[in-house]
Amino acid sequence: MELQKGLNCSDKIAQQKLFVPQISTTIMIDQIMQQAAAAFPVYRNQSAVARATFLERIATEIEALGDALIHTAMAESNLPEARLQGERGRTANQLRLFAGLVREGSWVEAVIDTALPERVPARPDLRKMLSPLGPVVVFGASNFPLAFSTAGGDTASALAAGCTVVIKGHPGHPKTSAKVFGAIQAAIAACGLPEFTVQHVEGTDFALGKALVQHSATKAVGFTGSYAGGTALVEYARERKQPIPVFAEMGSINPVILLPEILAAQPEALAKQLAGSFTLGMGQFCTKPGLILALESEELDIFLKAIGHEVPALPTMPMLHGGIHAAYTKNLQLALEQPGLGVLGKTEKEAEGIVPTATVALVDGDTFLANPQLHQEVFGPYALIVKCTSKAQLANILQHLEGQLTLTFMATEAEAIAHTDLVELGQELAGRVIFNGVPTGVEVVASMQHGGPYPATTDSRFTSVGSDGIKRWARPVCFQNYPAQLLPAALQNENPGNIWRLVDGNFTK
């Protein structure tokens, strides 16, 4: 295990790679988490302007890393330069998004019900707002080495909420993480914040993750990755004397439903659009459309022929790392071995190294319903098309699917209205319901919901993308008959931040 400092832990620990038994790991994690806990009261009491300035400074420092950051990430992730430049922009933009949210201030949901002493019984003065939970542990993701990793959305939103953060760097891009953490350290120093506001830990030992989750100072966990990884962290949290929330995004097959009218109008165009979406970035997006449902028809046959021709000609590239490629190869083989499955098309070029074979397959509705193995995500450039005999069978399939991040309808407005029962099923199944678009592409805005019913995520009430992601790291606290001088600024009568508040039932500033 390697512990990075700068402003992290002692120089002695930072200067060496440590391969140690679990007891030593636990001792070092204890030191790190105690440092995070000690920094928390100071950081949480920083003004909204100070926290916003800090987030903006992190964005500036990341941008100042220039081409060196991009080239490092390219070498470690096999992602192309243009993709990583866009991801760096997203990383900086979401830091600035949260800075703006914090500076405006209304996210704390301040509510005031003033005292009614004349009422019988008398009502006390009651004031409530969201307050930061405490130290948060963030596990970096592999598929977005910038936007979902060291200074990604989980870290940005936790810092915006007023929490200190301990980042468990992903082993797939350690040099990239180190550069980004250096930018965070520079921002900490420039803003005069506690040196342990953000800390960074590296290592591949499962005991490291368990120690971070189970430390008494840890108050919440953010994770993006596999179902196995997410559920393991949840179990660690449940074993604690005081369980804590684990906000894990764990995967999704993101069904796409092709309704007849639009399929009849543009089968080739839909085939091209969906082939490009499920193979985008070699299928290494959590919103990749991995399941396509349609009613059998002549138009569907045209679509099947078209997508079977599209996939073999698509460009290929290496996957993020050998582990993901090995898992894809294994899961793809398992899927294709299932009875009743037929391959419509696959990339023609012989796969070399960790370049995957993009594949689109076909199965009938009865076979799909009878085989739960076909319902599982295959992370990578693979999609399964299910030919349904009737609308009732299509609805039955939706009812048998697990929770999803997204669900997409390709439909004309008229047939969408005529299929409101299917549309309502989609709302029950997914966190984001899309019409006539592909799910790959997630806007970082206030209206985005990137989360869905289990097992897509561990808590469908929250999002890991967009400004509402801040609410994962805060809890409501009520202040009753509190001395005015001790009230948080957001609850003071003078409302120094000029934020929107609900006062005696009315929204006002």
Side-chain angles (χ1 to χ4, degrees):
M1 180 185 70
E2 182 178 356
L3 305 180
Q4 292 186 349
K5 181 187 179 279
L7 300 174
N8 192 333
C9 54
S10 73
D11 288 334
K12 181 178 180 181
I13 293 176
Q15 291 170 359
Q16 56 183 317
K17 290 187 176 180
L18 301 170
F19 300 91
V20 291
Q22 184 174 348
I23 185 168
S24 296
T25 300
T26 304
I27 291 171
M28 288 182 288
I29 293 304
D30 179 62
Q31 178 186 351
I32 289 167
M33 294 312 305
Q34 293 293 353
Q35 289 168 171
F40 171 63
V42 181
Y43 181 67
R44 70 171 295 177
N45 286 319
Q46 298 293 312
S47 69
V49 171
R51 291 210 302 272
T53 301
F54 174 45
L55 292 168
E56 291 164 343
R57 185 58 183 257
I58 295 174
T60 300
E61 295 287 349
I62 290 173
E63 290 169 335
L65 294 172
D67 291 342
L69 175 63
I70 300 299
H71 294 157
T72 300
M74 288 172 64
E76 289 189 311
S77 68
N78 297 311
L79 294 173
E81 184 173 9
R83 152 72 191 273
L84 288 166
Q85 287 173 338
E87 192 180 328
R88 178 177 59 189
R90 172 176 170 172
T91 304
N93 289 341
Q94 64 191 6
L95 283 159
R96 293 183 174 118
L97 170 76
F98 283 111
L101 184 75
V102 171
R103 188 172 271 114
E104 190 280 327
S106 299
W107 77 272
V108 298
E109 299 179 358
V111 181
I112 299 174
D113 288 297
T114 56
L116 295 176
E118 302 86 4
R119 198 191 71 175
V120 180
R123 185 176 80 185
D125 183 271
L126 295 166
R127 303 177 185 227
K128 183 175 73 170
M129 64 177 286
L130 294 176
S131 297
L133 292 175
V136 170
V137 171
V138 170
F139 288 80
S142 66
N143 58 339
F144 283 84
L146 300 176
F148 269 87
S149 193
T150 304
D154 286 353
T155 297
S157 55
L159 290 172
C163 298
T164 52
V165 176
V166 175
I167 302 158
K168 166 61 179 68
H170 195 280
H173 46 260
K175 293 179 182 178
T176 304
S177 294
K179 285 185 177 295
V180 174
F181 180 58
I184 297 174
Q185 290 178 300
I188 290 172
C191 295
L193 295 174
E195 61 176 352
F196 302 120
T197 299
V198 183
Q199 299 176 84
H200 192 266
V201 180
E202 288 186 354
T204 57
D205 187 355
F206 289 132
L208 173 60
K210 183 174 183 179
L212 286 167
V213 174
Q214 294 192 334
H215 195 279
S216 59
T218 303
K219 300 305 179 187
V221 175
F223 171 83
T224 298
S226 68
Y227 175 77
T231 52
L233 297 182
V234 170
E235 286 305 310
Y236 295 158
R238 287 175 177 167
E239 292 171 0
R240 292 170 46 120
K241 183 178 181 181
Q242 296 177 324
I244 57 172
V246 175
F247 298 104
E249 182 211 307
M250 301 181 292
S252 179
I253 56 174
N254 304 299
V256 176
I257 299 167
L258 304 178
L259 291 182
E261 287 182 17
I262 198 167
L263 186 58
Q266 45 184 296
E268 293 93 349
L270 287 170
K272 187 177 186 68
Q273 184 181 27
L274 288 169
S277 182
F278 87 78
T279 60
L280 182 68
M282 292 294 90
Q284 296 169 114
F285 291 88
C286 48
T287 53
K288 178 207 75 175
L291 181 68
I292 301 169
L293 307 173
L295 300 175
E296 58 183 5
S297 66
E298 291 182 5
E299 292 77 19
L300 177 60
D301 292 339
I302 296 172
F303 169 85
L304 296 175
K305 184 177 180 180
I307 200 168
H309 281 108
E310 284 287 338
V311 173
L314 290 170
T316 58
M317 58 181 280
M319 299 189 82
L320 290 161
H321 53 76
I324 283 183
H325 179 262
Y328 172 69
T329 302
K330 175 184 176 182
N331 291 331
L332 175 64
Q333 181 178 355
L334 179 62
L336 298 181
E337 287 173 350
Q338 301 305 306
L341 212 69
V343 174
L344 290 173
K346 61 181 182 178
T347 46
E348 295 174 343
K349 184 178 178 182
E350 183 91 17
E352 298 177 355
I354 59 172
V355 176
T357 300
T359 305
V360 59
L362 176 69
V363 72
D364 66 76
D366 288 335
T367 302
F368 182 83
L369 281 167
N371 188 350
Q373 179 62 44
L374 297 177
H375 304 191
Q376 302 306 308
E377 179 186 23
V378 177
F379 190 75
Y382 169 76
L384 176 62
I385 301 172
V386 180
K387 181 188 287 190
C388 303
T389 56
S390 65
K391 176 184 172 182
Q393 186 180 66
L394 196 157
N396 191 23
I397 288 173
L398 290 180
Q399 290 167 339
H400 280 81
L401 294 179
E402 297 179 315
Q404 306 291 327
L405 291 172
T406 74
L407 186 140
T408 301
F409 288 96
M410 298 293 191
T412 65
E413 185 172 343
E415 66 182 340
I417 293 171
H419 291 79
T420 54
D421 53 341
L422 293 181
V423 174
E424 290 175 358
L425 278 175
Q427 294 172 13
E428 295 176 11
L429 190 63
R432 178 163 57 111
V433 184
I434 303 157
F435 273 87
N436 298 327
V438 290
T440 40
V442 183
E443 293 292 332
V444 186
V445 291
S447 55
M448 178 52 60
Q449 177 62 24
H450 191 63
Y454 187 88
T457 62
T458 48
D459 196 328
S460 63
R461 298 170 298 172
F462 296 93
T463 179
S464 62
V465 176
S467 52
D468 271 0
I470 196 173
K471 294 179 182 178
R472 294 172 295 170
W473 320 117
R475 64 181 179 87
V477 176
C478 179
F479 301 82
Q480 181 170 330
N481 287 340
Y482 230 63
Q485 289 185 324
L486 297 181
L487 282 169
L491 296 178
Q492 293 171 7
N493 286 346
E494 297 77 14
N495 191 14
N498 195 34
I499 66 173
W500 284 104
R501 308 188 297 185
L502 185 64
V503 180
D504 291 331
N506 298 302
F507 281 104
T508 177
K509 286 191 174 183

